[in-house]
Amino acid sequence: MSDQKGRMLRGDLYLADDPELTADRQRCRLLVERFNATSVTDRQQRVELLRALLGQFGDDTEILPPLQCDYGYPIRVGARSFINYGAIILDCAPVTIGDDVQIATGVQLLTATHPLDAAVRRSRYESAEPISIADGAWLGGGVIVCPGVSIGEDTVVGAGSVVVRDLPPRVLAVGNPCRVVREL
């Protein structure tokens, strides 16, 4: 494993143009391209491609194309979960999606971040923070989950919300920035 890949996986600043990371992204793009080109009638091929792409793909889980991600291997999806059309998962850090999770259309899970210091940013360093979505959560259409956020068990996030901080279990949360409006 290259030093830069190790740094990325640890959440440290890293250079994404590292040859091993570049090769990993190319492998991912090819698998994603094949997945996104599958026929609606070829569920088995989709499952096989997702098992090759992702770090974990749970039983009875379904992801509908198109899907976009950077690496694939940091993504773990539990059993019986559903990810609808148009998901974007920037997976430079681990993305953990639990069992029985529902993710609506156009959701973005964004682990990637960049330094606030302009000089460091200009030197092409970046970093990432993990995202975790607990069992039974439901993310409405167009939700954006920002780096480092955890969403609690059975929590519902309303359509169009931008989640910038952790959400506790069993709440309804909406808005930009997303905030808890009531317990469930």
Side-chain angles (χ1 to χ4, degrees):
M1 176 186 322
S2 73
D3 178 55
Q4 295 302 316
K5 183 174 181 175
R7 294 174 64 80
M8 180 186 84
L9 294 173
R10 286 191 307 273
D12 297 335
L13 286 172
Y14 70 95
L15 294 168
D17 62 358
D18 171 74
E20 184 175 3
L21 291 175
T22 300
D24 286 354
R25 283 192 309 277
Q26 183 174 12
R27 174 194 169 274
C28 177
R29 296 300 316 138
L30 291 170
L31 286 167
V32 165
E33 181 180 272
R34 289 177 55 203
F35 171 76
N36 287 339
T38 58
S39 168
V40 68
T41 62
D42 203 347
R43 179 162 163 65
Q44 185 56 41
Q45 183 183 17
R46 285 185 190 177
V47 168
E48 290 169 9
L49 288 166
L50 289 168
R51 289 197 192 284
L53 175 65
L54 305 179
Q56 176 186 329
F57 183 72
D59 292 337
D60 299 318
T61 285
E62 184 171 15
I63 300 175
L64 298 180
L67 167 70
Q68 300 297 330
C69 60
D70 287 326
Y71 297 97
Y73 52 79
I75 302 171
R76 303 176 61 80
V77 184
R80 300 171 307 281
S81 291
F82 177 76
I83 301 175
N84 213 328
Y85 309 108
I88 297 173
I89 305 174
L90 299 186
D91 57 337
C92 309
V95 175
T96 304
I97 299 168
D99 297 335
D100 304 301
V101 171
Q102 301 291 309
I103 296 180
T105 56
V107 168
Q108 298 178 51
L109 307 177
L110 310 175
T111 68
T113 187
H114 299 276
L116 296 178
D117 181 287
V120 177
R121 195 170 54 249
R122 283 188 189 105
S123 66
R124 298 186 335 267
Y125 278 97
E126 56 188 75
S127 63
E129 298 175 32
I131 290 174
S132 178
I133 302 169
D135 297 346
W138 171 27
L139 279 58
V143 165
I144 298 172
V145 180
C146 292
V149 167
S150 292
I151 296 174
E153 185 174 8
D154 299 324
T155 285
V156 176
V157 180
S161 295
V162 178
V163 187
V164 297
R165 28 185 114 72
D166 293 351
L167 295 174
R170 291 172 287 289
V171 297
L172 172 62
V174 300
N176 180 4
C178 190
R179 69 188 191 302
V180 174
V181 293
R182 69 178 173 99
E183 292 183 2
L184 297 175

